[in-house]
Amino acid sequence: MRVLSGIQPTGPFHWGNYFGAVRQYIDLQHGNEAYYFIANLHALTTVRDPEKLRGYTLEAAIELLALGLNPERTTLFVQSDVPEVSELCWLLMTGAPMGLLERCHAYKEKKAKGLPADAGLFTYPVLMAADILAYDADVVPVGEDQVQHIEVCRDLARSFNHHFGEVFVIPQAKVLAHAARVPGTDGEKMSKSYNNTIDIFEEPKAMRKKVMRMTTDSRPMEEPKAPESDHLYQLYSLFAGDADREEMAALYRRGGFGYGEVKKALADAAEQFFAEPLARRAELKAHPERIEEILADGASAARRKASQVLHRAQKACGVSR
Ligand code: ATP
Ligand code: MG
């Protein structure tokens, strides 16, 4: 299988990014041809400070490597290093119905809130389609929030194929059922844009503080509760092993415990879970030139593949002779 996914350098990665997406990237690098990229062109729709964007981009690479991406097994690169994708984006743009893009939630939500939206946000799903189609990807590991955009990609690819012949591979989203929508500190979906994140590489003390301040269920602690519906338990179960998870679930069903205990268990489990990557990140940070090398190698490999696909698409639609 050919696997591809991208992640925006809009800030440090959080638990939702890890369990929904990055963990899948790491698992899928075994036995597949995998491409992972840092989506700086997408991030440009929100990060409008060049130094920040450059910094977040390097940090994103460091974090992915620290978490276990292996550059020997995968192609890791920065989106803007593959200009073929932007060209492919235009070819897809010419066949992208306005109505289809108007229904996409990122744009719709911003508009509903009365916030000004730009063409970059509106056409975001088309660039994302080009990102995916440029590598003949079969599978795209993502969180649930991206499934709609992958549907758009499939629509655009099918319609191009219908019109111009079999050019694109039709990709499929891959979502992990138990981590499709990891909750944030307020119980809503954890997202960099909602100010409810806990970062993967948060210093343990700061992480603990955030966990202790998380909102909790308003019902009294004495009442037995269904663990699955509580966001503290949902988070705990991502970090805990089977036995600990079962024990915690039993505690919920029995009732008579304090949320403070759950929070403490959650903070302990999270600290232990990310201790090794935290140390690895410090090592990687000391050698930015090594990271640049990895990204440059990744870009060459990615360009080789993307230029083949772009050429195929150009020939099919008549813009190359
Ligand atoms: P932003 O708020 O800037 O959009 P984000 O936190 O949503 O940032 P993205 O870069 O958009 O992060 O998403 C990267 C990947 O992480 C995507 O595959 C997305 O589906 C996944 N993801 C993000 N948040 C969650 C979450 N709370 N649960 C599961 N997966 C998530
Ligand atoms: Mg997002």
Side-chain angles (χ1 to χ4, degrees):
M1 266 187 338
R2 210 171 273 122
V3 177
L4 169 127
S5 197
I7 189 157
Q8 296 191 66
T10 41
F13 298 152
H14 53 74
W15 291 358
N17 294 139
Y18 179 74
F19 287 106
V22 178
R23 197 178 39 171
Q24 298 201 69
Y25 302 175
I26 293 161
D27 290 346
L28 290 167
Q29 62 186 346
H30 303 283
N32 299 300
E33 181 180 336
Y35 294 85
Y36 299 120
F37 68 94
I38 298 159
N40 60 343
L41 294 176
H42 286 296
L44 197 53
T45 63
T46 46
V47 182
R48 308 289 297 169
D49 173 329
E51 278 320 303
K52 247 191 185 159
L53 185 56
R54 262 190 282 273
Y56 286 161
T57 303
L58 181 65
E59 174 66 22
I62 291 175
E63 294 197 2
L64 290 172
L65 294 166
L67 288 165
L69 269 202
N70 179 349
E72 310 276 311
R73 289 185 165 277
T74 60
T75 301
L76 174 65
F77 61 101
V78 176
Q79 185 183 28
S80 62
D81 284 346
V82 186
E84 287 78 6
V85 168
S86 301
E87 257 184 88
L88 186 61
C89 177
W90 180 257
L91 301 188
L92 294 169
M93 200 87 90
T94 56
M98 293 291 283
L100 182 68
L101 301 181
E102 273 160 5
R103 284 195 297 277
C104 287
H105 62 79
Y107 169 74
K108 229 165 84 180
E109 275 164 26
K110 204 155 183 183
K111 212 161 160 243
K113 284 188 191 144
L115 296 167
D118 51 55
L121 182 74
F122 184 68
T123 56
Y124 182 113
V126 188
L127 180 56
M128 183 164 154
D131 287 326
I132 298 169
L133 300 175
Y135 304 96
D136 286 336
D138 304 295
V139 168
V140 189
V142 285
E144 190 181 63
D145 58 320
Q146 291 301 325
V147 170
Q148 186 190 39
H149 291 153
I150 291 168
E151 275 307 316
V152 170
C153 172
R154 289 162 61 89
D155 279 0
L156 296 179
R158 276 199 214 100
S159 119
F160 195 98
N161 283 356
H162 180 73
H163 216 89
F164 297 119
E166 289 300 307
V167 172
F168 296 124
V169 172
I170 309 296
Q172 233 170 0
K174 187 168 178 303
V175 180
L176 293 177
H178 66 285
R181 188 182 169 282
V182 175
T185 52
D186 54 359
E188 297 301 312
K189 175 204 171 241
M190 188 178 286
S191 173
K192 282 171 236 158
S193 343
Y194 301 165
N195 207 11
N196 65 354
T197 56
I198 301 183
D199 299 338
I200 297 170
F201 294 104
E202 199 108 43
E203 281 306 318
K205 237 172 131 181
M207 179 272 286
R208 204 161 276 274
K209 226 173 176 173
K210 278 195 182 173
V211 169
M212 295 320 280
R213 278 208 217 105
M214 281 181 69
T215 55
T216 49
D217 193 301
S218 56
R219 281 174 308 164
M221 312 180 299
E222 290 71 30
E223 258 178 56
K225 286 176 200 72
E228 298 78 18
S229 61
D230 185 68
H231 61 277
L232 281 179
Y233 175 81
Q234 287 165 13
L235 286 173
Y236 179 74
S237 66
L238 292 169
F239 291 107
D242 291 347
D244 290 339
R245 186 183 312 127
E246 267 318 301
E247 204 175 305
M248 183 64 82
L251 209 60
Y252 267 76
R253 290 193 198 100
R254 199 182 66 208
F257 65 96
Y259 282 119
E261 293 168 53
V262 188
K263 286 177 172 175
K264 192 173 168 306
L266 170 59
D268 289 344
E271 183 174 342
Q272 203 186 351
F273 194 91
F274 289 125
E276 218 176 279
L278 197 69
R280 225 175 301 145
R281 171 167 165 269
E283 284 164 31
L284 287 159
K285 257 182 132 59
H287 299 286
E289 70 294 339
R290 174 77 193 110
I291 312 292
E292 291 301 343
E293 227 172 83
I294 291 171
L295 294 175
D297 288 350
S300 320
R303 283 195 78 171
R304 263 198 306 278
K305 178 70 193 162
S307 61
Q308 286 169 10
V309 177
L310 174 64
H311 190 67
R312 215 197 289 151
Q314 285 172 325
K315 238 170 88 185
C317 69
V319 296
S320 82
R321 278 160 289 146

